[in-house]
Each structure stands twice: as C-alpha cells, then as structure tokens.
C-alpha cells in the first residue's frame, strides 16, 4: 500500500484508538511487558499513547508515529500521565538515530504495518545499547492451522481497511533479524506474543 494512503488510514482511526477500551488481557500484557522498561526509551508507532499508564516512573520516552492525528492523542495522554516525553512525527522506516542511543526500545502492535519489518528490526538493533533491551507485544498468524487459514483468507481485506497484516510470523521475523530472544510468551492460540529481546552483537571494525 502507498505510504500516504496508509497514514490516512491511521489518521482516521485516531479517535477510535483513543476511545478504545482494551480488555483485561491486553492491559495485563502491556503492564507485564512495560514494567521492564528503563532509562531512555524509544517507542515505535506510539498511536494514541496506550502504553503510557504502564511505564515505570523515572523513564524518558521518545515517542514516534507517522500519523499527526495519533501523535496529538498521545501528547494528551502524556500530559495526563505526567510523562517525560518527546514526540517525533515521522515514518520509522525512514528515521535515523545514532547507534546505541536507547536503553529500551518498545514496539506494541506495530510490526503488522511496516512495509519492511526486517529493516526496522535491523535499525532498532543498532539504536539499542548493547546492554539494553527490546520489548515487543505483537500479533500475527496463529499457530492453530484452522485459524491461520481463516486469517490468510481475510488478510487482504483487513489490510485495506485497517492497514494491518494479520499473517506475519512475528517470532520468526525477530529470529531471522538476529536479535537475541530471551523470553517469549504466546497467547490467543499463538496470535499474540510478548517478547523480551536484546540487540544482536555488533561486529567490531
């Protein structure tokens, strides 16, 4: 999908994201994962700021999103939760930070929408400090054969409507990227994954 069209899809969903009332499982997953965040944090595709209630005190968040409408909602949430935060409106696939800039990098439900998820994984591996951590809450193709078949059938329609792929093998992509996975918890018939990872070792010049 052409990137400007994708941005327009997410702009239109900003109010829905802000008003969305996640179920108890989703809130618990966010809290469980984000309790491990520390130091300087980079959050990819912050959306309407759904993670902000669950960050520990004392962190500094750099929040990115390519949707201006989403960022406006996230800024309001940051004020409400007294977050120490900066905001950047840009496509993460086109962004650049100095290597080893962040102690923690967070992605929650963002890898379904990237055109080149492996490139993004390569970037965040470089941006994360060697002793830092990369935290994921992502959804993808189910480990249940019948359910995965249904996902593959409806995926083209869901992508056109919501800008989101439902058939990506998230754990497989992270393994392929070379990130070091320390822990994985999977839920909802293998559709949802909480992943704790480290950047891949950097080659010395």
């Amino acid at each position: 999908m052409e990137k400007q069209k994708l941005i327009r899809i997410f702009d239109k969903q900003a109010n829905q994201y802000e008003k969305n009332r996640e179920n108890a499982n989703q809130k618990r997953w966010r809290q469980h994962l984000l309790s491990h965040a520390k130091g300087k944090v980079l959050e990819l595709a912050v959306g309407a700021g759904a993670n902000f209630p669950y960050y520990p005190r004392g962190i500094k968040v750099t929040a990115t999103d390519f949707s201006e409408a989403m960022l406006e909602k996230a800024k309001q949430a940051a004020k409400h939760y007294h977050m120490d935060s900066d905001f950047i409106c840009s496509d993460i696939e086109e962004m650049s930070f100095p290597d080893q800039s962040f102690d923690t990098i967070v992605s929650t439900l963002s890898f379904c929408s990237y055109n080149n998820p492996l490139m993004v994984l390569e970037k965040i591996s470089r941006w994360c400090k060697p002793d830092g951590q990369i935290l994921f809450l992502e959804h993808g193709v189910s480990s249940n054969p019948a359910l995965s078949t249904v996902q593959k059938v409806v995926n083209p329609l869901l992508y056109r409507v919501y800008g989101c792929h439902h058939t990506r093998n998230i754990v497989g992509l992270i393994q392929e990227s070379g990130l070091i996975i320390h822990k994985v918890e999977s839920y909802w018939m293998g559709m949802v994954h909480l992943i704790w990872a480290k950047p891949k070792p950097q080659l010395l010049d």
Side-chain angles (χ1 to χ4, degrees), residues 91 101 146:
D91 182 354
S101 291

Side-chain angles (χ1 to χ4, degrees), residues 60-194:
K60 170 66 182 288
V61 177
T62 299
T64 70
D65 206 291
F66 63 11
S67 166
E68 285 275 13
M70 288 289 191
L71 277 184
E72 285 304 312
K73 302 299 184 183
K75 289 175 182 177
Q76 294 171 22
K79 290 180 181 178
H80 179 76
Y81 293 106
H82 308 289
M83 299 289 299
D84 184 2
S85 52
D86 294 323
F87 296 87
I88 302 173
C89 186
S90 182
D91 182 354
I92 202 70
E93 293 182 277
E94 299 173 1
M95 290 182 67
S96 180
F97 292 101
D99 289 357
Q100 302 179 17
S101 291
F102 299 98
D103 301 290
T104 306
I105 297 179
V106 172
S107 170
T108 57
L109 309 178
S110 74
F111 270 84
C112 58
S113 61
Y114 299 131
N115 290 331
N116 192 339
L118 282 173
M119 180 185 71
V120 177
L121 289 167
E122 172 65 30
K123 284 186 169 191
I124 64 177
S125 181
R126 295 197 314 269
W127 297 339
C128 188
K129 294 179 181 179
D131 60 347
Q133 58 188 336
I134 304 172
L135 307 176
F136 300 91
L137 165 56
E138 301 291 349
H139 73 93
V141 67
S142 173
S143 57
N144 178 284
L147 183 53
S148 67
T149 298
V150 173
Q151 286 179 289
K152 291 170 185 175
V153 170
V154 301
N155 185 65
L157 173 62
L158 293 174
Y159 182 62
R160 287 196 300 272
V161 174
Y162 297 109
C164 173
H165 293 282
H166 286 67
T167 56
R168 286 184 169 167
N169 180 347
I170 296 299
V171 175
L173 281 170
I174 294 173
Q175 290 172 332
E176 184 180 351
S177 76
L179 293 182
I180 301 168
I181 296 177
H182 280 208
K183 181 181 177 182
V184 177
E185 296 180 7
S186 298
Y187 302 92
W188 285 1
M189 290 188 282
M191 286 192 296
V192 176
H193 308 282
L194 277 65

Side-chain angles (χ1 to χ4, degrees), residues 15-31:
N15 286 330
Q16 177 186 341
Y17 271 57
E18 182 188 37
K19 296 176 182 177
N20 182 40
R21 297 293 180 263
E22 295 182 316
N23 65 39
N25 282 333
Q26 289 170 298
K27 292 177 180 178
R28 186 168 60 248
W29 295 334
R30 290 185 190 271
Q31 186 172 27

